[in-house]
Amino acid sequence: MRRLFRFIALLLILIALALAARDGYASYQAEALRIMDAGTLWAGLHRDSLQLAEPAIARYLHPFLWHPVMVTILLFPSWLVFGGLGIILWLLTRLPGRRASRDLFMRD
């Protein structure tokens, strides 16, 4: 299971790098800073699910989770959202420290 989550984390980090490269290229082409936020990316991929997410989160979870929590996340750069999720998932699935495993094998 850890390998699956590690693979997903690596995939999220690679997507973040691709999005950062896309933002860099768009900024270079426009000769101005162009950063795509996560909400724009989501709307571009599937606008209907974005429009359905607000009432679903507000009604079934808590209104506070949509505004200001999700709205703030959707305004972050897309590469930051994917990269942050990937790094958090990577850190959550790391192996136990060497010190603890060494102590386990050193007992006689």
Side-chain angles (χ1 to χ4, degrees), residues 38-58:
T40 303
L41 177 65
W42 189 357
L45 292 174
H46 198 265
R47 183 172 298 278
D48 293 339
S49 66
L50 177 60
Q51 292 172 347
L52 290 174
E54 178 183 1
I57 291 172

Side-chain angles (χ1 to χ4, degrees), residues 5-108:
F5 286 128
R6 274 265 160 132
F7 175 74
I8 293 170
L10 182 62
L11 191 62
L12 288 171
I13 292 170
L14 290 175
I15 290 171
L17 290 173
L19 288 169
R22 181 244 171 248
D23 286 348
Y25 183 72
S27 296
Y28 174 75
Q29 289 293 327
E31 295 181 356
L33 187 60
R34 303 284 179 177
I35 298 175
M36 184 186 331
D37 57 78
T40 303
L41 177 65
W42 189 357
L45 292 174
H46 198 265
R47 183 172 298 278
D48 293 339
S49 66
L50 177 60
Q51 292 172 347
L52 290 174
E54 178 183 1
I57 291 172
R59 184 179 305 146
Y60 297 114
L61 295 176
H62 196 278
F64 179 77
L65 288 177
W66 182 260
H67 189 60
V69 175
M70 279 300 295
V71 171
T72 303
I73 292 171
L74 291 174
L75 291 175
F76 284 151
S78 57
W79 57 265
L80 183 63
V81 173
F82 279 92
L85 287 173
I87 290 170
I88 289 170
L89 190 58
W90 185 271
L91 291 175
L92 288 174
T93 58
R94 66 182 179 186
L95 294 173
R98 290 180 159 218
R99 184 176 194 161
S101 62
R102 189 177 336 130
D103 290 343
L104 181 66
F105 292 114
M106 295 301 250
R107 291 186 189 168
D108 289 324

